[in-house]
Amino acid sequence: MTSLSKKFGSVFVINDITLQVKKNEIFGFLGPNGAGKSTTMMILATLLKPTSGIVTINDFNIVSHPEKVREHIGYVQQEITVDEYLTGRENLILQSRLNHIPKNVAKERIDEILKLIELENKQNDLVITYSGGMRKRLDIAGSLLHKPKVLFLDEPTVGLDIQTRKKIWEHIKKIRSNFKTTIFLSTHYMEEADELCDRIAIIEKGKIKVIDSPITLKKNFGSEILNIITETNIESIKSAPEIVHIKKSVNEMILKNKTIKISSTNCTKILPLLIKSLLKLEIEIDSISMYPPTLNDVFIKYTGKTIDQENVTYNMKREYRRLRNIKK
Amino acid sequence: MNILYDIYSIVWREVKRYSKSKFGVLIRLIQPLIWIIVVGNTFTETSPLIASVGFSGDYMQFITPGIIILTAIFTSIFGGVNTLWDRRYGFINKVLISPISRSSIALGKMIAISIIATVQSCLILGISFLIGVAIPTYFNLLFVITVIILFSLGFSGISVIVASLARSQETFWATINFLGMPLFMLSPALFPLELLPPWLSTVAKLNPVTYTIILIRDVMNEQTNTNHLEIGLFIIICFAFIITIIASFVFTRDMKKPF
Ligand SMILES: Nc1ncnc2c1ncn2[C@@H]1O[C@H](COP(=O)(O)OP(=O)(O)O)[C@@H](O)[C@H]1O
Ligand SMILES: [Mg+2]
């Protein structure tokens, strides 16, 4: 995809995105709510037309050959779209009919996929009796029936508890290896991007900040993070010569309220130096911690903020209201 | 042939959902039954009045066609509401990225709603048999059912149009209530048109419900004047056909817009 943009009204929701997803990789789109992830997904799934830019999936242009593209893709929407008043199996039968899969082939595939997704035992129960995680798995299963080469998963584990999410991650990995599917997923969960994706793109306000593998991103960040919490506010010592000196020798140093955060390749050397300086400046230390950088640290570096987990927990009603207001 | 298969897929889904809900089947029967019991028994004294305009049976025999059509109207005109859910919860998106033909979605929905409305109406018809309403021959019965199917198809089309244009549940229900009740009341469902003031009866003559009820009432009571019958049938076929075309056009156009 090259220079993809999408405007709603006069606002650019996606702004000049360029990226390439490799065959059989799991590519993650990591960004906060409203970053433009779902919009991008919908464009890729041929449900929305881009304002500008060129996108090809398996060599087919999404604008000029949407039918060809649809043959090759599976798309699982952010909302759970299975039919509550049908059984699990009936949902899959419906999906196979929508995809014009002949009956005998469909039967075999449904059996195979139900097994993979571990819903064999519940297949004849109404979906209304399923848990959120089971519904999502069924939804994913439905998108696999026509054996798509590329699978789009829009926030596949949003709103689910951690055990359920881990289970879905396992399934996603299994799908990739069993069906040789290329997977493009979006998420606002750091752990999900970290655990699941070969490469990620950090996206914020419709712009891509960086694309790389989580490992490289973390490595490039500086090998370690040093976090010191003090008893008193340290804003006043910002310009003390000792501190300025230390700041010069590290990748990044942030002083704010009562915390000092340093990222550096040799924190072990920096630490004694810093303690000495703090004592000299008569700053009491409350606690010290040192850890390898997380994706969250990387995310903060590129976007200047963290994804506030409290605020982004998926709220369907709120999301719907938000969309409705825009679309009026 | 693909389009028939696609239509069938959609019908299959809708009918399957309907058949899973035994409660829904029953609840839809309650309202028409109340009408039969309350109205049917309250106005039995009006038989002479009805006889004065040339109807020979008792009042129950008179209103049964009206109540059957009441069932058909409301079952089908409410039927499109799940279109709103389907857009809201992504089923429509799912269908749009499948190779299924676009027009089959609207057609499938309408046919399914029409089937469901017909089943409900036939249940009422069956109940009315139990309380003594009669129908002359099997052929007449078959004819009545055909008319109900066509009529419900038209009304399901109205429902689908409203659901496509309404962006919210509130708008849908407000519009549907605004349409449904007057269409029912401005028809000879409960009383003969001859008893209405002339201007109202003129308005009623523009209402497709009027022709349907007259047609069914005539066929159920063997007061058949073939000429009359052909015109009625023609009007209903035109009604169903035109609405179906408009509905599939509006639906197909609107589904492509993001919701
Ligand atoms: N149909 C629409 N019309 C106008 N604005 C929209 C529409 N859909 C989404 N938006 C806006 O586009 C931005 C990106 O939304 P979305 O792609 O849903 O983000 P994400 O999936 O990353 O949370 C949001 O600010 C949202 O309000
Ligand atoms: Mg989203």
Side-chain angles (χ1 to χ4, degrees), chain A residues 9-68:
Chain A
S10 58
V11 187
F12 273 101
V13 170
I14 306 174
N15 201 339
D16 201 11
I17 288 181
T18 300
L19 59 83
Q20 196 160 17
V21 179
K22 295 174 196 147
K23 214 174 179 149
N24 205 20
E25 86 173 330
I26 299 184
F27 189 92
F29 226 35
L30 176 66
N33 244 358
K37 304 183 298 293
S38 295
T39 308
T40 310
M41 289 277 186
M42 285 182 85
I43 293 174
L44 297 179
T46 73
L47 287 167
L48 285 177
K49 293 233 166 3
T51 307
S52 61
I54 297 167
V55 184
T56 54
I57 297 175
N58 265 351
D59 297 329
F60 289 111
N61 185 302
I62 57 158
V63 178
S64 56
H65 295 92
E67 326 75 38
K68 283 284 175 204

Side-chain angles (χ1 to χ4, degrees), chain A residues 83 90 95 97 100 327, chain B residues 6 9 13 17 20 259:
Chain A
D83 225 309
E90 282 166 351
Q95 190 68 38
R97 294 182 131 275
H100 294 164
K327 280 168 193 163
Chain B
D6 291 343
S9 299
R13 167 197 187 235
R17 282 166 60 115
K20 291 280 162 71
F259 184 60

Side-chain angles (χ1 to χ4, degrees), chain A residues 42 45 47 70 75 77 80-81 83 85-86 90 93-95 97-100 126 139 316 320 327, chain B residues 5-6 8-9 12-13 16-17 20 88-91 93-94 96-100 102 258-259:
Chain A
M42 285 182 85
L47 287 167
R70 286 180 200 134
Y75 169 48
Q77 301 170 61
I80 292 175
T81 60
D83 225 309
Y85 298 101
L86 299 181
E90 282 166 351
I93 292 175
L94 175 65
Q95 190 68 38
R97 294 182 131 275
L98 295 180
N99 282 302
H100 294 164
L126 289 187
D139 217 356
M316 193 141 74
Y320 178 51
K327 280 168 193 163
Chain B
Y5 178 85
D6 291 343
Y8 176 70
S9 299
W12 179 86
R13 167 197 187 235
K16 200 105 203 170
R17 282 166 60 115
K20 291 280 162 71
R88 165 84 177 72
Y89 290 110
F91 179 74
N93 280 345
K94 211 166 171 175
L96 287 179
I97 59 160
S98 74
I100 188 168
R102 297 293 177 261
F259 184 60

Side-chain angles (χ1 to χ4, degrees), chain A residues 32-39 78 154-155 186 314 319 322:
Chain A
N33 244 358
K37 304 183 298 293
S38 295
T39 308
Q78 191 168 332
D154 195 357
E155 308 225 11
S186 78
Y314 183 63
E319 180 99 336
R322 183 172 67 95

